[in-house]
Amino acid sequence: MRGRYVDAPSIFKRGASKDYINDFDREGSAVHLLNGKDIGNPSWRRSLPHILVATLSSFLFGFHLAVVNETLESISLDLGFSGNTLAEGLVVSTCLGGAFIGSLFSGWIVDGIGRRRAFQLCALPMIIGASMSATTKSMWGMLLGRLFVGTGMGLGPPVAALYVAEVSPTFVRGTFGSFTQIATCLGLMGALFIGFPAKETVGWWRICFWVSTVPAAVLAVCMEFCAESPHWLFKRGRGIEAEAEFEKLLGGPHVKSAMAELSRTDRGDEADTVKFSELFYGRYFKVVFIGSTLYALQQLSGINAIFYFSSTVFKSFSVPSDLANICVGIINLLGSLIATILMDKLGRKALLLGSFSGMVVSMGLQVIGASSFTSGSAALYLSIGGMLLFVFMFALGAGPVPGLLLSEILPGRIRAKAMAVCMAVHWVINFFVGLLFLPLLDQLGAEILYSIFAAFCLVAVFFVKSSILETKGKSLQEIEIALLPSE
């Protein structure tokens, strides 16, 4: 296969992909046959290095979410806004605003310049923003740096979800999709451990920001050597290059079958004329509605309230915040690792159902712990145990599955732009949950507020049961054909 590309003078020219479709149709439709024999699944080892580089964006996402948790007190003292809760809140949440902007435009960026360049573009504001935060002498410099970082954070997750889904072999796509969640957990824990000396060592918080520029630079450099998404190349009419990337990712014997499968739904040389309004009516409405609703329910479960304010709950029982954060981080990582093992065994839908059901039970334990019927050690065990169980059950399914599932069920023509819309929904609700959690906790009390979160988890169970298609073991083209009505 490789010699064929070397000899072809048009290897880097845009090819008319309909020619490849006709060639594959004439040469046979037996997807996994070579010389009459079943060639089986491609080696997962070929695509693994590309996946690992891509997950650096998820690591950075987790790191920047948590980098101010342990360092905020030191930052506020050094920059002169200690005791100003509004300023402290802005330092924490400004990156969320930047993430909303980044996610909103991610679809157009990814479709315009490709997946690899989008990763590099994602790394750039993270490097610039982290450097600005590390060197600033004022609160405004910190806020500007956090805004830059946020735009990269918003761009990274949808690009990672798309890329992993499009370059992974079908039989391990779920496992590889879980790597993004594991990388996020490692980023959260990395920021936590690096931030520990900040309270004792003057200026250590600046080191924490400088550290984050290293994986961002590695992402930008290493992505230059990674494969481009064959799906994106084929969509742009660059069929020969798509073949070459498939050979790099799957191996020569699997290129013909992969191209034939891709041609079932995607049409090369197709002008990118997807209008924003197309995502909200007609044949695409169903899948965009499913994706947006799934992300909305994920956030309305209250998970980020747990992540943001777990220290407050632990402190109410005289448990040190450092220990609280370590426990939450370890439980989150453990659940994500188990999800990786189960993703391609049990399937996406089963994990979602089990995850949201377990979150209902664990939130119920916290409701009981917060009620007047329990006190002392019983309230401690129910509240903290329920919280840790909630994080564990979230990490099993509700955390890693939505990003992977959306990249699978969204049709190739609208995949990037629809993912951007769904991620924007995620960030908006994430922002308001974080903003309103403490005021609602004061007004309603923990018992009622946790009951509301449990109700949303229960709604999620019924929604998954009635609306989610199992995608385990199916190619992206098979999923698209099953979900979309004919034009």
Side-chain angles (χ1 to χ4, degrees), residues 392-403:
F392 178 76
M393 296 308 301
F394 173 84
L396 278 183
V401 171

Side-chain angles (χ1 to χ4, degrees), residues 254-395:
H254 297 272
V255 172
K256 186 181 295 184
S257 62
M259 289 295 290
E261 186 71 25
L262 187 58
S263 70
R264 292 174 64 189
T265 54
D266 288 337
R267 295 192 295 274
D269 290 330
E270 181 182 89
D272 189 18
T273 57
V274 181
K275 297 178 181 178
F276 187 74
S277 57
E278 286 185 69
L279 305 179
F280 302 103
Y281 70 87
R283 66 196 302 257
Y284 296 127
F285 173 76
K286 178 182 177 181
V287 288
V288 175
F289 173 78
I290 289 173
S292 299
T293 303
L294 190 58
Y295 262 130
L297 290 170
Q298 180 202 59
Q299 294 303 304
L300 290 171
S301 70
I303 183 60
N304 278 316
I306 299 297
F307 282 138
Y308 296 154
F309 304 109
S310 59
S311 297
T312 303
V313 176
F314 277 83
K315 283 180 181 177
S316 66
F317 292 103
S318 301
V319 178
S321 61
D322 292 354
L323 178 60
N325 291 328
I326 291 173
C327 289
V328 170
I330 291 174
I331 291 294
N332 192 23
L333 179 60
L334 177 62
S336 299
L337 290 171
I338 295 174
T340 301
I341 298 170
L342 299 179
M343 192 72 73
D344 284 311
K345 296 181 183 297
L346 297 182
R348 288 53 149 167
K349 186 171 183 176
L351 283 182
L352 278 177
L353 286 172
S355 176
F356 279 119
S357 299
M359 289 163 71
V360 173
V361 173
S362 55
M363 194 59 82
L365 294 177
Q366 293 182 74
V367 170
I368 297 171
S371 70
S372 58
F373 299 106
T374 55
S375 59
S377 60
L380 169 66
Y381 294 136
L382 286 169
S383 296
I384 293 182
M387 179 182 294
L388 294 178
L389 179 62
F390 186 83
V391 172
F392 178 76
M393 296 308 301
F394 173 84

